[in-house]
Amino acid sequence: MKSWNKSKPAILMADQLPAILVLAPLFGAMIIGLAGTKDHKICFPITLASLLVTLVVAVAAAHQVFEHGPIDYFVGGWKEPIGIGIHLHIDSLNVLLLCAIAVVAVLVSFFSIRRIGDKNTEKTPHFYTLYLLLCVGLFGITIAGDAFNLFVLIEVSSLTSYGLIAMGSSKRGAFAAFNYVLMGTVGASFYLLGVGYLYLKTGTLNMVNIRDILSTQPEIAASRAVSIAFLFILVGIWIKMAFFPLYGWLPNAYSYCPSSSACLLAPLMTKVSVYVMIRVMVSVFGLEWVFASPGWSNLVVWLAVIAIVAGSVLAMAQREIKKMLCYLIVAEVGYMVGGAWLADEGLWGLTGALYHILADAAMTLCLFLAAGIFAKRFGAKKITELEGLFKEAPWTAVGFVVGALAMIGVPPTCGFFSKFYLIRGGIDAGHWEYVVALLLSSLINAVLFFRIFEIAYFGNKPAEGHAHAHDDEPAETALPSSEIPTWTGVFPLLVTAAIIILLGIFNGEIVAMIRVVLEDLPNLASRL
Amino acid sequence: MSEFVETVLRPHFNFWVYVILMMIGLWALIAKNNLIKKLIGLSIFQTAIILFYVSMGVKENANIPILDHHGHEEHVVAHAEDGHAGAHDKKAHVEKSDHATGSHGESHPDATSPDPDTMANPLPHVLMLTAIVVGVATLGVALSIVQMIFREYGSLEEDEILEQVKAGNSDG
Amino acid sequence: MLSKVFATIAVVITGGILLYGVSDFPGFGDPHSPANAGVPGQASISQYFITESYGDTKVPNIVTSVLADYRGYDTMFETVVIFAAGMAIFAILRVVGDDSERKPRRKQESSFTNGDHSRIIIGTTCRLLVPVIQLFALYVIAHGHHSPGGGFQGGVILAASFIIIALAENLNSALKRLSETNYLKIACIGILIYAGFGVMCQVLESDFLDYGVLQPILMTDGPEMARSHSMLGVEIGVAFTVTAIMFAIYANLSSRGLLRDGL
């Protein structure tokens, strides 16, 4: 299938970019399902190949979006009247996220290689099938232009992530996964309910069409059902992104699952949900409608402030590295939701949130990769067990330090610039509590990570005691180091670290790309 | 009371039922201690949404959205036209007379296209077919996780499991 | 106790909000509600489906034509959801590699009527039923264009015929007819059929799932009939996946992932 696509003429390829984006990993997953069970060796090459295809396609799509404007794709050719078919849409709001998903998926696939040496080798093809299907779901969510199609793809990504979290996980992981299933399903159902309310009032499912109707027919836009639709969609997505106070499922689910699953899910799932929220705000309801009454915006920003503070404080209380990182994710989600809801005039808050989606994907990936390497090679899961490990694994240490500095917000990493834009939005909007929360969270992050640096760098304990197995996590006992090709972990880690710095250095260009669509917002509805 | 029934309850009866069903499901989901009962709650919750969607597509006196196919390609009329009496009798009559004059519809393509009011809205059915499938898939995965929990903890009661989790925490 | 208080609060708030919205709804069964008839200035898309879909696709069952053609992209991912669930259940539950446990604990009966006499009735009934169920399943799959039915429904019925074997006899006899390697393969092939139809359209220089361009391959008269036939094709693909995964879910859940003995 892929060879056909490659042999097709370039002009045709350009038209088909959105479809190929989801089809390449889908076909990869099916090939693994068919042939991978016989020969486990082909699983990784196929995964990598199909993900590289998506990476190329995502970059090509970015090129096309910035050269020729947004890409609209109508599946099955059902274009007129609008809404009868399914609409896929790529513009400058989501094209960078597409690239980020592709990059993260490619990098984590290297990290997951070592699973083949694991004791659960029988399930390797199934792991990779789920891995690729998760990518299908995430790409599909990102390019969806149809509200119901978005639900279906949310479910594709949710079901695969349930599988990835629960497979080979520990005693506690099983229960965490169960809670994740319940919460995730309720979240998706709320979203579905909200879409139903919208359909009830507008008679259409196409996002652009809904927005058209809402902006041209004020009595529909002002109706109760539409407000409730927005509320339920919002709460549903908040559950999915673990926004305070709906974050309960996240820390356990991500910290007790296999490292490769955590490295893929932690950077992507919450970020894609944040994107969905922004997409719904911008493309379905329209920012004028969302920010019509300032009370809502203030309420959400306050919630975000609580999320940031609570996430940071709870992170301080953790003894396990991964769990601490999970609570930091909760805080970071607060950054993005708060930024998106600042409603400042220049939309710098929204810009900062969109930039932070990319930055946070890179930072989270970096830290989770480093934590995964520490856990797998040295069996170090608790912060105290890191003693002396920076000397044992200097390259991993470099990656971890870069990720941590970005989390704190030290220039020239991307973490600094995303905070810069968010704070700028906060000041413009007069939300000083948000600015204070951001600064406080940076301070807490600094305390957290410098404590870890101190333990890991200056701690003199020999690293012997680290390799003991944890009985609550049998799937991740440290393997004899001879079996592990070290580069599979360190290579993606260092690439991620480089990306963090590059994102920071080229922040001006990236923000300019993001703002292409935001400056064009009034024309968004009339684009079709 | 009867006024309430007439003006509030009756026109939206299905929607009231869906909300009540959904709340039963949500309550079971949160309050029940047994994991299987939680899943039953989840299923009720999802089914309520299906009821909601299907209720949206209902039209008074309308038939299923399948065209009557008499073997001849162009000769297609709605089921509801075949003597289905109801509020839209007039429209059906108009349609019939149209049909009579427009012989086989090749010159009058409109004559063969059915009156939308005589057929239920097909779109919610399509959407709910998807949602049902998604619900089944979720339930399957959730049940398999429950079996895994039972394998690990030997119990399906949430409080007993949480106790074991706590005990494990203080050990480590 | 605390959870009950919390549940009551959550239920009251959510239910209150939802009921508050209900009073704003159009009346139940109103054919002119926005969902059914559209908003001023724009007809609802369902109006289009009812009036135009036969002309576009030559499929009398509007639900089928919307499901497999207009919203075929959704339906493909719906099949992927099922497939992902099957894979996830395998990944979570399946116990593999323990050879000592592979041997069945109970003595196996090779056919329906061997062994226990009380099984004769069940076995005979089952043997009579299974072909009928399977035939009906094939009818439901193939007749989705003209009556309620299609790949999902037919696939589930087909899977039920295997499950009934597993219930009447034991899981092993069902697995003899549809083994694990085979059902995983069938599930993949089903999605490949569906996506293959879509990609074929792309190869013929059109959009994904634009079945009309398959006319020269399917040798139909007119692109509408090509759409109709392609819909049957993708429904068959859906049926493959659904049959395989439904049986897989039953097999794994009933045997706790050991795939022997069963209930």
Side-chain angles (χ1 to χ4, degrees), chain C residues 47-201:
Chain C
Q47 299 268 40
Y48 176 89
F49 292 141
I50 293 175
T51 53
E52 307 293 329
S53 73
Y54 187 77
D56 283 345
T57 62
K58 294 274 179 281
V59 174
N61 186 347
I62 300 171
V63 174
T64 302
S65 63
V66 177
L67 185 80
D69 194 344
Y70 296 100
R71 299 191 73 86
Y73 183 71
D74 264 359
T75 309
M76 186 176 89
F77 284 112
E78 194 182 337
T79 321
V80 171
V81 167
I82 285 278
F83 180 77
M87 282 291 145
I89 289 172
F90 184 98
I92 293 167
L93 213 54
R94 187 78 174 90
V95 181
V96 274
D98 196 348
D99 277 303
S100 62
E101 290 200 32
R102 281 258 165 91
K103 278 181 192 162
R105 279 175 305 188
R106 253 186 289 169
K107 216 181 108 188
Q108 272 193 60
E109 294 92 35
S110 54
S111 79
F112 283 116
T113 47
N114 281 1
D116 199 347
H117 274 293
S118 65
R119 292 199 156 186
I120 290 176
I121 297 172
I122 299 173
T124 314
T125 321
C126 191
R127 204 165 46 185
L128 286 172
L129 265 179
V130 166
V132 181
I133 295 175
Q134 292 187 336
L135 201 61
F136 180 66
L138 296 181
Y139 162 78
V140 169
I141 296 167
H143 221 250
H145 283 33
H146 300 269
S147 61
F152 288 102
Q153 297 89 328
V156 171
I157 298 172
L158 202 53
S161 74
F162 290 103
I163 292 173
I164 210 173
I165 296 173
L167 284 173
E169 178 77 349
N170 58 27
L171 192 58
N172 288 327
S173 2
L175 282 171
K176 237 179 255 160
R177 288 163 176 84
L178 186 59
S179 74
E180 183 173 37
T181 4
N182 283 343
Y183 67 59
L184 289 178
K185 270 188 190 142
I186 290 173
C188 288
I189 289 170
I191 292 181
L192 281 178
I193 290 176
Y194 202 132
F197 266 94
V199 171
M200 200 91 93
C201 304

Side-chain angles (χ1 to χ4, degrees), chain B residues 44-101:
Chain B
I44 298 174
F45 186 82
Q46 288 178 318
T47 313
I49 295 180
I50 292 168
L51 176 65
F52 163 64
Y53 265 82
V54 173
S55 306
M56 272 195 301
V58 173
K59 295 175 190 169
E60 201 97 14
N61 293 319
N63 215 320
I64 53 168
I66 297 176
L67 299 156
D68 207 355
H69 191 59
H70 290 306
H72 196 286
E73 289 254 309
E74 301 300 326
H75 195 83
V76 178
V77 285
H79 268 303
E81 288 171 17
D82 300 342
H84 191 102
H88 303 288
D89 234 9
K90 267 186 197 165
K91 278 193 175 163
H93 277 304
V94 170
E95 186 85 11
K96 263 186 186 167
S97 58
D98 260 11
H99 199 75
T101 51

Side-chain angles (χ1 to χ4, degrees), chain B residues 2-20:
Chain B
S2 66
E3 195 193 0
F4 175 78
V5 170
E6 280 303 314
T7 59
V8 179
L9 209 51
R10 177 162 298 197
H12 301 119
F13 184 65
N14 264 36
F15 298 118
W16 278 79
V17 173
Y18 116 75
V19 172
I20 292 165

Side-chain angles (χ1 to χ4, degrees), chain A residues 123-140:
Chain A
K123 290 180 179 173
T124 309
H126 306 87
F127 171 80
Y128 280 115
T129 310
L130 288 173
Y131 186 101
L132 283 175
L133 289 179
L134 178 71
C135 297
V136 170
L138 294 174
F139 283 123

Side-chain angles (χ1 to χ4, degrees), chain A residues 344-361:
Chain A
D344 56 313
E345 213 146 286
L347 290 179
W348 283 106
L350 192 57
T351 311
L354 283 165
Y355 178 71
H356 196 67
I357 288 179
L358 308 176
D360 194 34

